[in-house]
Amino acid sequence: MSQKWNPDTYAKHARFVSDLATPLLELLKPQPGERILELGCGDGALAAKLVECGCTVVGVDTSPEMVAAARRRGVTAYLMNAQSLSFDAEFDAVFSNAAIHWMKRPGDVIAGVWRVLKPGGRFVGEFGGRGNVATVVAALKAALTARGIPARSVDPWYFPDAEEYKARLEAEGFRVWGAALVPRPTPLPTGLEGWLKVFAQEFLNLILESDRQSFIEEVARRCSPGLRDANGVCVLDYVRLRFIATKPVALPDTSRC
Ligand code: BEZ
């Protein structure tokens, strides 16, 4: 069983994901009248902000529940995998927050973004980079191993370093203006248990339901000394990879002048 998304659970435990996207929106600099595609639009919280800026926004997501939630907000959203985009050179910008790390075929994402952007269009995004949530990943793997489950069997996320992602963008033809890892320790409003239930389902699904609560408690214990702040709040070791790249405008062919 793979990752499933529930808009109500997401709103309760993970609203901070879109709330913390201000620096990314500042990097995107949406302009009124622009046509923008959002990859992994989720429940449409950010797409709705872009609409407020006067943009025409299309969101895509692989979760039918999230697409329905985005539509309830009035966002134009389609059930579509960002690894096989079916648009054609029609967007001024492609934007993505906290979604690309779920896409294990980054080359297909980048090639698709290249296809759907107009010449001169920009690709602006942020997702988990190298070292992201490393304490939780180590605790999940240790707790699986302790139960005799091979930890290598679960690997749901793509967390590259900035140089690797920049090289992939450049190999497609993008001009990369910035790509950097940004450590962002993130307090979890509803604690680690809620976060695990929303985001770590591929690990939890390997555990019998009768053992799941004690597995979650064990993971929380293994994380506890490193991830608690002075007030006992769980602060997750997020590391974002933030980037901005553009598809160059094709130069006129002057070879025959
Ligand atoms: C992230 O946004 O970095 C993230 C979300 C879910 C799982 C792992 C990472």
Side-chain angles (χ1 to χ4, degrees):
M1 244 203 307
S2 60
Q3 178 72 31
K4 294 255 184 305
W5 299 99
N6 174 309
D8 296 329
T9 316
Y10 190 87
K12 180 170 171 205
H13 297 294
R15 187 75 288 148
F16 68 90
V17 174
S18 51
D19 289 347
L20 293 175
T22 305
L24 186 61
L25 291 173
E26 285 168 1
L27 194 61
L28 175 66
K29 289 195 180 65
Q31 303 298 314
E34 282 192 318
R35 185 166 166 77
I36 297 182
L37 173 67
E38 184 180 2
L39 308 183
C41 65
D43 64 7
L46 288 177
K49 285 193 183 179
L50 297 176
V51 171
E52 277 170 27
C53 294
C55 302
T56 300
V57 184
V58 175
V60 295
D61 204 285
T62 52
S63 160
E65 293 81 7
M66 289 305 219
V67 167
R71 288 179 181 165
R72 283 197 292 276
R73 276 184 201 271
V75 168
T76 302
Y78 299 113
L79 190 62
M80 191 187 293
N81 191 322
Q83 298 173 124
S84 48
L85 292 172
S86 54
F87 301 101
D88 191 25
E90 60 194 88
F91 292 100
D92 299 294
V94 175
F95 167 79
S96 186
N97 179 51
I100 292 174
H101 49 249
W102 294 102
M103 304 169 193
K104 301 295 292 288
R105 302 197 322 266
D108 291 345
V109 175
I110 292 170
V113 171
W114 178 271
R115 263 195 329 273
V116 307
L117 276 175
K118 298 176 187 171
R122 56 207 192 279
F123 182 22
V124 179
E126 182 175 309
F127 63 105
R130 174 67 52 86
N132 192 38
V133 298
T135 306
V136 186
V137 171
L140 282 161
K141 293 193 167 181
L144 286 182
T145 305
R147 283 163 172 75
I149 301 171
R152 264 178 292 112
S153 59
V154 223
D155 187 17
W157 305 310
Y158 168 63
F159 296 148
D161 64 33
E163 283 310 308
E164 178 197 324
Y165 205 66
K166 179 171 185 268
R168 284 184 181 277
L169 289 164
E170 287 175 342
E172 190 63 45
F174 280 101
R175 168 90 201 263
V176 180
W177 299 91
L181 293 183
V182 183
R184 195 201 62 198
T186 303
L188 297 181
T190 59
L192 186 60
E193 181 171 336
W195 188 93
L196 290 168
K197 286 180 176 164
V198 173
F199 293 114
Q201 292 169 23
E202 290 193 30
F203 293 88
L204 301 186
N205 289 340
L206 293 172
I207 307 297
L208 285 177
E209 225 168 314
S210 53
D211 186 31
R212 214 167 275 167
Q213 189 56 31
S214 83
F215 178 83
I216 288 171
E217 285 162 16
E218 179 183 337
V219 171
R221 250 192 330 275
R222 286 179 184 269
C223 290
S224 179
L227 293 185
R228 295 248 166 241
D229 72 5
N231 302 316
V233 173
C234 181
V235 180
L236 213 53
D237 47 353
Y238 272 66
V239 178
R240 319 314 290 158
L241 197 170
R242 193 177 297 152
F243 65 91
I244 176 163
T246 50
K247 174 176 175 174
V249 178
L251 296 173
D253 180 4
T254 52
S255 61
R256 274 182 257 137
C257 292

